[in-house]
Amino acid sequence: MRLPRWLRRALAVAGVLAFLLATGAAALFAWHRTQLLDSGGPLRPRQAAVDVRRYDLALRLDPARREIAGRNRATLAIVAPLDAVELHLDGRLTVRSAHVDGAPARFVHRRGLITVPLERPFAPGERHVVEIVYGGRPKVAAFPPWLDGMVWRTTPSGAPWIGVTTQGDGADDWWPCKDHPSDEPDEGLSIELTVPSPLVGLASGRRVGATENPDGTTTTRWEVSYPINNYAVSVNVGPYVPIEATYRGIDGAAERTIVFWAIPEHADEARRLWTAQGARLLEVLGRRFGEYPFWKDKYWVAESPYLGMEHQSLVAYGARFEDNDDGFDELLLHETAHEWWGNKITARDWADFWIHEGFGTYAEALFVLDTAGEEKYLAYMRRLARRTRNRTPIVRGPDALAKDAYIGDIYAKGACVLHTLKWLVGDEAFFTVLRRFVDADRPEACRLVATDELERLVAEVAGRPAPWFWERYLRRAELPRWTLSRVPVDAEETAERTAAEGTAVTAERTADATDEITLSWDDPAFELPLPVTVGGVARRIDMPSGRAAFRVPAGAAVEVDPRGLVLAAGELPRAAGDAR
Ligand SMILES: [Zn+2]
C-alpha cells in the first residue's frame, strides 16, 4: 500500500519537527546540566580524611576579559591515612601548579576534581598545606543566585559591577575547595582581592589593608575570623559608595558602624533604606536570636547585580529598595537573618537546607510579630501557608546534593512548620528552643547542625518527644489532613449517654439539644492538637491517637483553626444545619 502524497509530506514535516525538538531539548538539557555543579553528597574517602583548618585565597579579577587568576592555600589537619589530596575546582578553570608544604607537586585536574598524589602518605594527626595556583574564565552565572557562577555586569553608567553566587554549585566555581557543607575552615580564611583601580573591591571578613599596585590595580586584604561555609565566601566589586549607620547593640551599649555599599545611581534609595532599617533589623533579630554573630568581621551589605545572598559579613542585596506591606525590606531582612540561620549555624548536610531557608523565612514573620503585633504576624503566616506546595518532602537525606535539596517548600513550608511547632509546644518552650538551637547566649559560637538535633532539643525543652510531628511535616510531602463530622444528638439520648459514659464524652450541658463533633487526622499516629472555635470561643482540642469527640450546642458555629495556627489541610462538612 502506498500512502497518499500529502500524507507522506505531512509525515516528513512532522519527522523533521520532532527531530529539531528532540535535539533542541537534548541541547537545552546538556546546557542545563553544565549549569549545576555538585556540592555536598556523600563525602569521598579522601575528603573525609582531611579537616580543613584554614584557607588563604588570593584572587585577581579582570573584568575586561572576564578572567580570574587565583591561588588557594588550604591548611589541612589529617584525620585518616591519606595517599592523595582532593580538592574540587570547576573544569572551566586551569590549574597552573600545585605545592605540598612548599614543594612542587604533581597533580591531575579531571572532571572538576584536582587530585594531588602524595610522595609520602599523610598520617592522622599531621597538618599540611596544599597550594593550588589556577586561573582562566570561570563559569558565568546564567541566572544568579539560582544558577551560579561569576556575575559580570555593568552599572547603568557603564562601570564594571561584579559579584559571584555559589550556593547551589559550591565555591569550586571560582576557587579550589573541599566542596562539602560538613567542613568549614575552623581557623578562618583570608582573601587578597585585586581589582582594577578605582573600582572598590569588597570581600568577606574584616578589612586589614590595601595596596595600590603599579599596574593600575588595587589589592585589598580581608581576614575572616570565623568558620565560614564555602558558599558564603564572596566578593563584590563596583564603583561603590559607602553609606554608614550606627548600630548600638541589642542592649544599646555598643556603637558599631554598619555600612551599605551602593552603586552611585542608587545611593539615595540605599541611604533611605539603610538609615531606617539597617540597625533596626539587627536589633529586632538580635533580641530574638542573640547578638549579631560576626562583629570581629563586620556587618556590611553590598548592592549586588543579582537578587541577593547571605554572604557572611557581606550580605548581597540586589532588590528594589521597596518595602513590603508590613513596612520593611523583605530581602534585606531575609538575607540578614541568614547570618544566624545558615552562617552562624550551618546545616552539615544539604538534606537539612530548610534550617537555612525555613528559619530565614520564619525570621521575617517574627520581625512582623515584634514590630507590628500578633494579628499581622498571623496574616504573614497565612500568606506563607498559601505558598506551600507539598509535593516533595522537605528533608531528603542523608548526603543530599545542594541542587537536589533546594526546593521551594524549604522556605514557606519550613517557616510554617516552625509556626505549627510554636502552637504545639507553646510560646515559652518554642522561643527557648530557638535561642538554644542558635546558641543565642554565645553570639560568636558557630557550629554545624542537623534536623535531629532540633528534634532532640524540642523533646528536651517541651518534656516529650513528638516524632510524628517531624515525620509528617519534614519527611513526608503531603500535608496532614483533618476531617470533621457533626451529628445531631437528641436531648434524651444526650442525657442517657452522658449518664452511661460518664466523662467519656464531653457534653455541653447548657443546651437541651447538642451536636456531636468528631475530629480526626488522616493518620492515627499524628497527634497535633487542633485549635477550634465554638460559637466564637477558642478551644484547644487534644487529639490522642489522632482523634477527638466532643459536643457543642446544636447549631453552634464550629470553626477549625480560623486564625491559621497550624499547617494542615481539612474541610468542614457542607451538611445542612452546619452553621459556619
Ligand atoms: Zn534564603
Side-chain angles (χ1 to χ4, degrees):
M1 193 186 89
R2 202 171 153 77
L3 294 171
R5 200 161 146 196
W6 65 268
L7 187 54
R8 271 182 286 141
R9 279 199 178 157
L11 284 173
V13 169
V16 169
L17 277 178
F19 175 77
L20 287 176
L21 267 175
T23 48
L28 192 66
F29 181 71
W31 174 84
H32 187 258
R33 283 199 63 86
T34 67
Q35 295 308 305
L36 290 165
L37 305 189
D38 285 351
S39 177
L43 265 178
R44 301 168 61 86
R46 286 170 178 156
Q47 283 182 308
V50 302
D51 170 21
V52 176
R53 303 306 301 172
R54 185 175 167 86
Y55 290 123
D56 290 284
L57 271 173
L59 282 157
R60 171 181 285 263
L61 304 188
D62 183 343
R65 306 165 72 100
R66 298 191 164 194
E67 284 181 1
I68 66 173
R71 179 264 290 152
N72 187 22
R73 218 173 270 146
T75 303
L76 309 171
I78 310 305
V79 296
L82 186 64
D83 64 337
V85 172
E86 288 182 350
L87 294 170
H88 281 93
L89 181 70
D90 187 19
R92 293 167 182 81
L93 293 165
T94 305
V95 177
R96 316 256 186 238
S97 68
H99 284 76
V100 174
D101 299 322
R106 291 182 299 121
F107 64 88
V108 179
H109 185 204
R110 194 178 295 138
R111 291 207 193 109
L113 185 71
I114 306 169
T115 306
V116 182
L118 301 169
E119 309 249 308
R120 172 187 73 77
F122 289 169
E126 295 175 2
R127 190 176 161 114
H128 295 279
V129 177
V130 176
E131 180 184 280
I132 304 291
V133 176
Y134 66 100
R137 288 195 146 187
K139 181 178 172 221
V140 174
F143 186 42
W146 295 279
L147 292 176
D148 285 331
M150 293 296 299
V151 185
W152 307 98
R153 299 272 167 81
T154 52
T155 61
S157 63
W161 188 16
I162 306 159
V164 63
T165 74
T166 65
Q167 185 177 43
D169 285 357
D172 56 338
D173 272 355
W174 63 308
W175 53 275
C177 59
K178 176 173 170 182
D179 187 13
H180 201 276
S182 65
D183 198 0
E184 297 185 356
D186 313 68
E187 296 162 28
L189 173 149
S190 70
I191 304 175
E192 255 181 55
L193 173 65
T194 302
V195 302
S197 309
L199 291 174
V200 178
L202 308 173
S204 313
R206 175 173 44 101
R207 195 175 125 126
V208 291
T211 313
E212 301 272 341
N213 306 309
D215 64 356
T217 61
T218 305
T219 300
T220 47
R221 285 180 295 283
W222 307 81
E223 178 66 35
V224 177
S225 306
Y226 306 89
I228 184 168
N229 57 61
N230 71 42
Y231 84 84
V233 177
S234 185
V235 296
N236 294 86
V237 181
Y240 285 122
V241 291
I243 292 158
E244 296 187 352
T246 302
Y247 169 64
R248 305 207 176 275
I250 51 177
D251 50 8
E255 187 166 322
R256 298 186 188 274
T257 302
I258 59 175
V259 187
F260 190 110
W261 295 83
I263 58 169
E265 291 86 343
H266 298 158
D268 290 342
E269 291 153 293
R271 186 168 295 108
R272 271 196 296 278
L273 169 63
W274 201 237
T275 310
Q277 296 182 35
R280 176 121 175 87
L281 293 186
L282 292 186
E283 207 180 288
V284 175
L285 296 177
R287 290 212 182 103
R288 284 285 179 198
F289 310 142
E291 187 54 86
Y292 175 77
F294 303 116
W295 281 131
K296 267 183 247 153
D297 292 351
K298 62 187 186 287
Y299 173 60
W300 284 4
V301 175
E303 191 178 355
S304 52
Y306 53 87
L307 182 63
M309 185 50 70
E310 58 263 33
H311 296 138
Q312 188 167 310
S313 82
L314 182 64
V315 169
Y317 174 94
R320 294 159 178 266
F321 301 98
E322 283 169 1
D323 287 353
N324 64 7
D325 293 342
D326 291 291
F328 66 95
D329 191 304
E330 217 167 280
L331 194 274
L332 181 63
L333 186 131
H334 178 94
E335 305 304 346
T336 299
H338 278 308
E339 295 291 78
W340 287 264
W341 308 102
N343 292 342
K344 180 181 180 184
I345 65 165
T346 308
R348 172 183 295 118
D349 181 337
W350 280 119
D352 298 319
F353 209 152
W354 82 283
I355 293 174
H356 298 201
E357 298 305 349
F359 283 78
T361 304
Y362 188 66
E364 300 164 22
L366 276 188
F367 184 85
V368 174
L369 177 67
D370 291 343
T371 57
E374 193 180 14
E375 290 311 312
K376 296 270 190 187
Y377 160 82
L378 289 173
Y380 204 92
M381 290 312 309
R382 287 194 292 269
R383 280 201 298 279
L384 289 177
R386 283 197 288 275
R387 275 169 42 195
T388 65
R389 290 288 165 269
N390 311 301
R391 290 192 195 113
T392 312
I394 288 181
V395 173
R396 281 176 305 157
D399 297 332
L401 292 172
K403 62 185 177 190
D404 296 331
Y406 189 85
I407 55 165
D409 272 354
I410 61 177
Y411 290 81
K413 188 173 180 185
C416 290
V417 171
L418 295 173
H419 174 61
T420 307
L421 180 67
K422 178 170 175 288
W423 157 258
L424 172 66
V425 301
D427 280 13
E428 198 186 327
F430 177 74
F431 288 116
T432 301
V433 164
L434 282 196
R435 290 185 64 84
R436 281 181 55 183
F437 193 40
V438 79
D439 228 341
D441 295 329
R442 299 194 306 150
E444 301 195 335
C446 299
R447 73 176 202 288
L448 299 169
V449 295
T451 298
D452 54 10
E453 182 189 335
L454 177 67
E455 292 176 36
R456 284 195 301 272
L457 186 58
V458 171
E460 186 195 321
V461 173
R464 66 194 154 97
W468 46 266
F469 179 90
W470 307 106
E471 173 65 24
R472 187 61 190 253
Y473 281 120
L474 298 181
R475 297 185 182 88
R476 281 173 66 177
E478 69 278 17
L479 286 184
R481 175 172 288 274
W482 52 261
T483 47
L484 180 147
S485 66
R486 178 169 191 153
V487 181
V489 184
D490 69 54
E492 267 173 52
E493 193 199 329
T494 304
E496 279 167 28
R497 283 190 55 190
T498 306
E501 296 172 18
T503 54
V505 174
T506 313
E508 306 279 342
R509 296 189 179 80
T510 48
D512 287 327
T514 60
D515 289 345
E516 180 157 323
I517 306 283
T518 306
L519 264 174
S520 347
W521 286 113
D522 56 358
D523 175 358
F526 191 72
E527 300 194 323
L528 186 72
L530 270 169
V532 174
T533 58
V534 178
V537 178
R539 295 172 57 175
R540 181 183 177 103
I541 305 295
D542 286 327
M543 302 281 286
S545 303
R547 199 174 170 281
F550 55 97
R551 290 190 176 181
V552 301
V558 174
E559 285 184 285
V560 178
D561 196 17
R563 303 172 79 206
L565 302 176
V566 306
L567 179 68
E571 226 176 299
L572 293 169
R574 288 164 200 263
D578 179 15
R580 272 200 69 188

